[in-house]
PDB file of all heavy atoms in Angstrom:
ATOM      1  N   ALA I 379      20.310 -64.885  60.260  1.00 85.00           N
ATOM      2  CA  ALA I 379      20.269 -65.529  58.938  1.00 85.00           C
ATOM      3  C   ALA I 379      18.891 -65.327  58.334  1.00 85.00           C
ATOM      4  O   ALA I 379      18.755 -65.275  57.106  1.00 85.00           O
ATOM      5  CB  ALA I 379      20.630 -67.002  59.044  1.00 85.00           C
ATOM      6  N   ALA I 380      17.867 -65.278  59.174  1.00 87.00           N
ATOM      7  CA  ALA I 380      16.531 -65.117  58.642  1.00 87.00           C
ATOM      8  C   ALA I 380      15.700 -64.219  59.575  1.00 87.00           C
ATOM      9  O   ALA I 380      15.536 -64.546  60.759  1.00 87.00           O
ATOM     10  CB  ALA I 380      15.853 -66.506  58.496  1.00 87.00           C
ATOM     11  N   VAL I 381      15.269 -63.113  59.054  1.00 92.00           N
ATOM     12  CA  VAL I 381      14.377 -62.243  59.787  1.00 92.00           C
ATOM     13  C   VAL I 381      12.953 -62.413  59.151  1.00 92.00           C
ATOM     14  O   VAL I 381      12.858 -62.454  57.906  1.00 92.00           O
ATOM     15  CB  VAL I 381      14.815 -60.752  59.593  1.00 92.00           C
ATOM     16  CG1 VAL I 381      13.745 -59.826  60.033  1.00 92.00           C
ATOM     17  CG2 VAL I 381      16.096 -60.511  60.346  1.00 92.00           C
ATOM     18  N   PRO I 382      11.939 -62.655  59.986  1.00 93.00           N
ATOM     19  CA  PRO I 382      10.645 -62.915  59.355  1.00 93.00           C
ATOM     20  C   PRO I 382      10.069 -61.734  58.632  1.00 93.00           C
ATOM     21  O   PRO I 382      10.369 -60.603  59.014  1.00 93.00           O
ATOM     22  CB  PRO I 382       9.744 -63.338  60.515  1.00 93.00           C
ATOM     23  CG  PRO I 382      10.394 -62.688  61.744  1.00 93.00           C
ATOM     24  CD  PRO I 382      11.891 -62.614  61.447  1.00 93.00           C
ATOM     25  N   ALA I 383       9.227 -61.983  57.627  1.00 94.00           N
ATOM     26  CA  ALA I 383       8.527 -60.830  56.937  1.00 94.00           C
ATOM     27  C   ALA I 383       7.667 -60.120  57.926  1.00 94.00           C
ATOM     28  O   ALA I 383       7.068 -60.725  58.787  1.00 94.00           O
ATOM     29  CB  ALA I 383       7.616 -61.444  55.884  1.00 94.00           C
ATOM     30  N   GLY I 384       7.704 -58.758  57.875  1.00 96.00           N
ATOM     31  CA  GLY I 384       6.955 -57.935  58.761  1.00 96.00           C
ATOM     32  C   GLY I 384       7.690 -57.505  60.001  1.00 96.00           C
ATOM     33  O   GLY I 384       7.174 -56.720  60.781  1.00 96.00           O
ATOM     34  N   ALA I 385       8.907 -58.004  60.189  1.00 97.00           N
ATOM     35  CA  ALA I 385       9.695 -57.586  61.354  1.00 97.00           C
ATOM     36  C   ALA I 385       9.993 -56.121  61.358  1.00 97.00           C
ATOM     37  O   ALA I 385      10.344 -55.545  60.336  1.00 97.00           O
ATOM     38  CB  ALA I 385      11.015 -58.433  61.399  1.00 97.00           C
ATOM     39  N   VAL I 386       9.802 -55.476  62.493  1.00 96.00           N
ATOM     40  CA  VAL I 386      10.030 -54.038  62.646  1.00 96.00           C
ATOM     41  C   VAL I 386      11.324 -53.874  63.418  1.00 96.00           C
ATOM     42  O   VAL I 386      11.417 -54.484  64.514  1.00 96.00           O
ATOM     43  CB  VAL I 386       8.894 -53.326  63.356  1.00 96.00           C
ATOM     44  CG1 VAL I 386       9.194 -51.881  63.585  1.00 96.00           C
ATOM     45  CG2 VAL I 386       7.566 -53.490  62.555  1.00 96.00           C
ATOM     46  N   GLY I 387      12.232 -53.132  62.872  1.00 93.00           N
ATOM     47  CA  GLY I 387      13.620 -53.123  63.500  1.00 93.00           C
ATOM     48  C   GLY I 387      14.159 -51.743  63.635  1.00 93.00           C
ATOM     49  O   GLY I 387      13.628 -50.730  63.004  1.00 93.00           O
ATOM     50  N   ILE I 388      15.229 -51.666  64.444  1.00 92.00           N
ATOM     51  CA  ILE I 388      15.994 -50.450  64.568  1.00 92.00           C
ATOM     52  C   ILE I 388      17.465 -50.736  64.223  1.00 92.00           C
ATOM     53  O   ILE I 388      18.017 -51.705  64.729  1.00 92.00           O
ATOM     54  CB  ILE I 388      15.888 -49.866  66.004  1.00 92.00           C
ATOM     55  CG1 ILE I 388      14.468 -49.320  66.275  1.00 92.00           C
ATOM     56  CG2 ILE I 388      16.944 -48.772  66.230  1.00 92.00           C
ATOM     57  CD1 ILE I 388      14.210 -48.842  67.647  1.00 92.00           C
ATOM     58  N   GLY I 389      18.022 -49.928  63.298  1.00 87.00           N
ATOM     59  CA  GLY I 389      19.386 -50.106  62.907  1.00 87.00           C
ATOM     60  C   GLY I 389      20.082 -48.744  62.956  1.00 87.00           C
ATOM     61  O   GLY I 389      19.790 -47.965  62.032  1.00 87.00           O
ATOM     62  N   GLY I 390      20.899 -48.489  63.942  1.00 85.00           N
ATOM     63  CA  GLY I 390      21.449 -47.134  64.043  1.00 85.00           C
ATOM     64  C   GLY I 390      20.386 -46.165  64.279  1.00 85.00           C
ATOM     65  O   GLY I 390      19.543 -46.323  65.166  1.00 85.00           O
TER      66      GLY I 390
END
Side-chain angles (χ1 to χ4, degrees):
Chain I
V381 167
V386 177
I388 289 176

